[in-house]
Amino acid sequence: EHTTPLSACECIKSLLGKKNHDHFVVATQNHKFRTQLQNMANVPLLWANANSINLEPPSNYQRAVTQRLEEDHRHIKDREQTALYSNTKLSKKNTKEREE
């Protein structure tokens, strides 16, 4: 609930938040609002045309955000690398001790 009345577009944007944690899909004919939503990540857009409902392709901004997230997932995190390196050092040390 809002303390002051909002337009429909503002209300929907407030429900979406910054990251659309509830995974809402927005259907709108309002071109200006659709353009605003294209600059938000994680907001799939639907629009109707004649007798069909269309899923709008991701905007360049949405593609860039997705690509950046995929890149982050491909690389090992620092703490994981440290743990892996520590375990590898321990394994090598244990192997040397066993050989002696």
Side-chain angles (χ1 to χ4, degrees), residues 20-80:
N20 192 14
H21 289 293
D22 293 319
H23 307 286
F24 288 116
V25 176
V26 178
T28 181
Q29 290 294 102
N30 184 328
H31 181 72
K32 182 179 175 185
F33 185 48
R34 228 172 45 230
T35 303
Q36 291 173 358
L37 294 176
Q38 288 172 343
N39 293 320
M40 294 177 70
N42 307 321
V43 182
L45 297 171
L46 297 174
W47 55 281
N49 184 12
N51 293 327
S52 64
I53 296 176
N54 304 290
L55 178 63
E56 191 165 309
S59 66
N60 290 335
Y61 172 77
Q62 291 168 332
R63 288 177 197 265
V65 169
T66 302
Q67 187 175 13
R68 191 174 42 230
L69 290 172
E70 287 174 355
E71 287 288 326
D72 290 346
H73 288 296
R74 281 190 210 135
H75 300 292
I76 189 167
K77 293 178 176 49
D78 290 337
R79 73 172 197 280
E80 293 170 341

